[in-house]
Amino acid sequence: FLDCCVPTPYSAKMKLTAILVAPLLVATSAFGVQQPASSVSVHKRASQNPLAKPAFRKAEKSALFRDPTVTRGGAVPGWAAYNEQLDKNPLTAKACTSLVGWALGDLLAQIFIAGGPFDMKRFITLSIFGFIYHGPSGHYFYNWLDSKVEGTDAKAVFTKVAIDQVFWCPIFMSVFFAYLGLVNGDGFAAIGSKIRTDLLSACQGSWKVWPIVHAVNFKFISNKHRLVFINGVQIAFNMFLSIIGTKS
């Protein structure tokens, strides 16, 4: 009776193995990783037939990896939430995107180019323009343009760039100068003079930058991400606009 109660080397080894293996099984179960039934059957058939070659199959999906079709933030904080708002409230999301783009553009222009005391009225004026006009107008214009000119081949991209720069650019710049004039209390004569004086310079500045940017935009960027891409580039261009738009 005493001999059966004394642990043998074999029983101690089995207990140690159980202690080591049990936590591994629990951890694997926690991650939800299970051996596929088909894989078990393959191993059983292979063990029954020693001459059979082992079957190696590439796993189609692993529980350890996330679904690549689901949009997530990744390394950019808030990116998933931003994409969700683009789907649910595209107009508001794009208006807020342009607000941030124009605010940063004027902020950088005042700090690094204009110098002097910070002009809060100018900063607020240009930020509001991004929110009430640039974002909403860009939303409707690019939706319309993508619906009229479909595809991403060279002809479609060239056509979109041409329409954007030849027709949309002068309209946008004219609205921009008219908005600044109205905010400053200028009359229609003064606003018209400002447009006649500076519209060509503003368009020429646009033609040096935006054809290449929009070629990339229309070729590679999805419709809902057009404005966030444009605002990323436009932060620098808005520095130019904030200077030419507020000069006397």
Side-chain angles (χ1 to χ4, degrees):
F1 176 77
L2 294 175
D3 291 340
C4 67
C5 295
V6 177
T8 64
Y10 177 77
S11 62
K13 183 178 180 180
M14 291 299 296
K15 290 182 180 180
L16 178 61
T17 302
I19 292 173
L20 294 176
V21 172
L24 294 177
L25 295 177
V26 173
T28 303
S29 176
F31 277 101
V33 181
Q34 299 177 351
Q35 187 177 19
S38 59
S39 176
V40 174
S41 61
V42 169
H43 287 302
K44 285 184 177 179
R45 289 196 300 268
S47 61
Q48 293 172 358
N49 185 5
L51 298 179
K53 296 181 178 180
F56 295 98
R57 295 191 306 171
K58 183 179 180 180
E60 296 180 357
K61 185 177 180 181
S62 171
L64 289 176
F65 294 94
R66 300 182 301 178
D67 187 352
T69 63
V70 178
T71 302
R72 293 180 171 86
V76 182
W79 180 247
Y82 177 72
N83 276 278
E84 183 179 357
Q85 289 303 309
L86 283 176
D87 293 330
K88 293 181 178 179
N89 305 294
L91 185 61
T92 303
K94 293 174 184 178
C96 291
T97 301
S98 292
L99 183 150
V100 173
W102 282 76
L104 285 177
D106 184 64
L107 177 66
L108 295 175
Q110 292 201 49
I111 293 175
F112 296 107
I113 298 177
F118 188 80
D119 189 341
M120 182 57 69
K121 178 184 176 181
R122 165 179 151 175
F123 173 77
I124 295 175
T125 297
L126 293 174
S127 300
I128 292 175
F129 179 79
F131 181 77
I132 67 174
Y133 185 75
H134 181 264
S137 67
H139 168 73
Y140 290 113
F141 173 71
Y142 290 117
N143 283 351
W144 172 84
L145 187 60
D146 286 334
S147 68
K148 298 301 181 182
V149 185
E150 299 180 352
T152 57
D153 56 273
K155 181 180 178 181
V157 170
F158 177 82
T159 302
K160 289 181 180 181
V161 172
I163 293 174
D164 181 90
Q165 292 301 297
V166 175
F167 296 102
W168 179 244
C169 178
I171 294 173
F172 177 84
M173 295 298 182
S174 297
V175 173
F176 174 66
F177 290 133
Y179 165 80
L180 293 181
L182 291 174
V183 170
N184 292 329
D186 298 336
F188 290 107
I191 294 174
S193 176
K194 176 71 173 179
I195 294 175
R196 287 191 299 270
T197 302
D198 292 332
L199 179 60
L200 181 59
S201 298
C203 289
Q204 287 175 338
S206 174
W207 296 335
K208 293 176 182 178
V209 176
W210 289 105
I212 296 176
V213 173
H214 279 306
V216 175
N217 183 21
F218 294 131
K219 178 67 177 179
F220 300 107
I221 308 300
S222 63
N223 175 274
K224 75 174 185 177
H225 291 123
R226 293 210 193 285
L227 273 179
V228 69
F229 172 77
I230 290 171
N231 275 280
V233 178
Q234 192 150 345
I235 288 175
F237 188 72
N238 284 350
M239 295 170 65
F240 163 75
L241 285 183
S242 67
I243 292 172
I244 193 174
T246 56
K247 76 176 185 179
S248 57

